[in-house]
Amino acid sequence: MTIRWYPGHMSKALEKMSEAIRKIDVVIEVLDARLPFSSSNHQLRDIRRNKPCIKLLNKHDLADPAVTKAWIRDFEKEEGVYALPISAKQHSETKQLIKLCQRLAPNRGRPGWPLRAMVFGIPNVGKSTLINTLAGRNMAKVGDKPAITTCNQQIDLRNGIILSDTPGVLWPDMADQDVAYRLATSGAIGASALDYTCVGLFAAEFMMRRYPQILGDRYKLDCMPETPTALLEAIGRRLGCLVSGGGIDVHRAAEAFLRELRAGKIGRVSLETPEDVVGITADEIKPDEEELPHTCDGE
Ligand code: G4P
């Protein structure tokens, strides 16, 4: 199954963001630490006007720590880019972000001369959660439905920083199907745009290859099943996803497996390493608006 999920209004939105960035001192790109390449929209590089950019590897509490370290080293090879692992739900961790913003714009952050920052990212990476934690109150709705934030306001963090509360909602580049499947595995794609069994099989194959130990521990597998389908069946049996007559409901098993994987119940898992994406250039995965149908979850 080919996953396609792309809004038609992207070019206009990018133009507006590019314009808004003129007045911004620091660009904060929120990424999902489990898939920092796939959850990035590489067009941000074209519109960020050489402004300092913080790549925030959010949800690092769910990601494999060793792989997150490798990503930080990889990102910081680019000039003007700084990478920070974070859990946006943790107030104490967001303080590091404030310090980094202040370091990147040392002449700002004084009365009458505020430091202006804007949060960018694809849906579901945790932009609203971050804004709420930084503001210390609920400014933006948090939810599992992509692109739920619609309000337009500025938030004075009362520390010399003004945050634009219109997160730049970028859209994932999904011309590469591995990218699309990793995004689907992470939960970044609305449920109506995907087939749980296909995504579950992709995730099962990945976990068998990369994280067999924690997979075996979680589902008490005596030996690793030979195929992704057999693995989903074993998981379905373990979780009681049965149909009448005692067979396994593979669709329900896939859904339950993905739910556990996304919630970190199997363990801390990263869905890609810098080596996995070598050779996939931003240009290759930039979607062609002419070719892709303008289907979007719309939520
Ligand atoms: P968005 O604005 O970029 O679209 O993302 P949003 O903040 O709505 O967050 C999407 C989901 O990711 C939410 O889960 C949120 O709680 C979760 N999340 C955000 N930051 C972190 C983090 O650092 N660690 C973990 N583990 N999860 C994070 P949800 O299930 O949709 O909502 P809720 O039930 O948590 O309220």
Side-chain angles (χ1 to χ4, degrees):
M1 180 203 145
T2 305
I3 299 177
R4 289 194 163 159
W5 183 75
Y6 187 71
H9 55 268
M10 181 150 130
S11 313
K12 248 198 188 135
L14 281 173
E15 253 173 57
K16 279 192 180 168
M17 285 179 202
S18 176
E19 212 37 53
I21 285 177
R22 280 181 193 281
K23 294 183 188 147
I24 296 295
D25 301 303
V26 178
V27 168
I28 301 170
E29 185 184 13
V30 186
L31 303 170
D32 187 322
R34 296 167 296 173
L35 56 163
F37 178 85
S38 298
S39 61
S40 175
N41 180 310
H42 304 272
Q43 282 162 299
L44 181 60
R45 186 184 289 162
D46 302 336
I47 62 167
R48 80 174 159 86
R49 300 175 184 277
N50 293 330
K51 301 281 171 122
C53 176
I54 300 174
K55 303 256 186 194
L56 213 55
L57 278 76
N58 189 36
K59 309 193 189 185
H60 88 113
D61 52 297
L62 299 174
D64 181 332
V67 179
T68 299
K69 274 192 191 149
W71 276 112
I72 291 171
R73 283 194 297 273
D74 193 69
F75 280 132
E76 294 199 335
K77 285 181 197 157
E78 190 181 334
E79 205 179 325
V81 171
Y82 304 81
L84 192 66
I86 200 173
S87 172
K89 291 183 171 182
Q90 302 298 329
H91 179 68
S92 56
E93 295 193 18
T94 58
K95 281 188 193 158
Q96 296 174 48
L97 172 63
I98 299 293
K99 280 193 190 146
L100 183 54
C101 287
Q102 289 163 337
R103 187 153 70 78
L104 295 180
N107 298 326
R108 296 274 177 172
R110 288 176 278 125
W113 203 247
L115 189 161
R116 294 184 187 276
M118 192 167 177
V119 174
F120 289 85
I122 69 164
N124 210 49
V125 288
K127 297 178 297 301
S128 308
T129 305
L130 175 71
I131 290 169
N132 290 341
T133 306
L134 287 172
R137 56 198 188 280
N138 273 1
M139 307 297 304
K141 280 190 201 166
V142 175
D144 62 354
K145 293 193 176 151
I148 208 163
T149 311
T150 52
C151 50
N152 185 358
Q153 52 190 319
Q154 306 257 302
I155 304 167
D156 187 344
L157 298 182
R158 299 195 188 101
N159 54 10
I161 299 181
I162 295 198
L163 205 62
S164 167
D165 179 32
T166 314
V169 178
L170 299 163
W171 299 92
D173 304 316
M174 298 207 299
D176 181 293
Q177 281 296 293
D178 272 345
V179 166
Y181 270 90
R182 286 182 203 130
L183 283 163
T185 300
S186 76
I189 296 175
S192 58
L194 55 85
D195 178 300
Y196 273 112
T197 307
C198 291
V199 179
L201 287 170
F202 172 88
E205 191 277 329
F206 173 83
M207 290 296 289
M208 289 165 76
R209 208 164 15 92
R210 289 279 168 89
Y211 295 99
Q213 184 68 48
I214 55 172
L215 193 59
D217 291 348
R218 174 71 186 171
Y219 298 110
K220 300 187 173 54
L221 304 171
D222 296 330
C223 59
M224 191 53 66
E226 286 194 357
T227 64
T229 307
L231 173 62
L232 286 188
E233 284 170 352
I235 292 172
R237 206 169 296 118
R238 180 70 59 197
L239 300 179
C241 304
L242 305 176
V243 288
S244 56
I248 310 291
D249 185 335
V250 176
H251 183 86
R252 260 179 62 217
E255 205 173 336
F257 171 53
L258 287 171
R259 207 169 30 244
E260 295 212 340
L261 182 60
R262 290 168 183 172
K265 289 199 174 147
I266 300 172
R268 293 177 73 168
V269 166
S270 291
L271 297 171
E272 62 194 13
T273 66
E275 288 75 35
D276 289 333
V277 302
V278 168
I280 309 179
T281 64
D283 282 346
E284 267 170 44
I285 63 169
K286 209 178 270 183
D288 182 341
E289 283 188 59
E290 298 278 306
E291 276 178 23
L292 284 175
H294 290 165
T295 52
C296 168
D297 218 16
E299 293 162 316

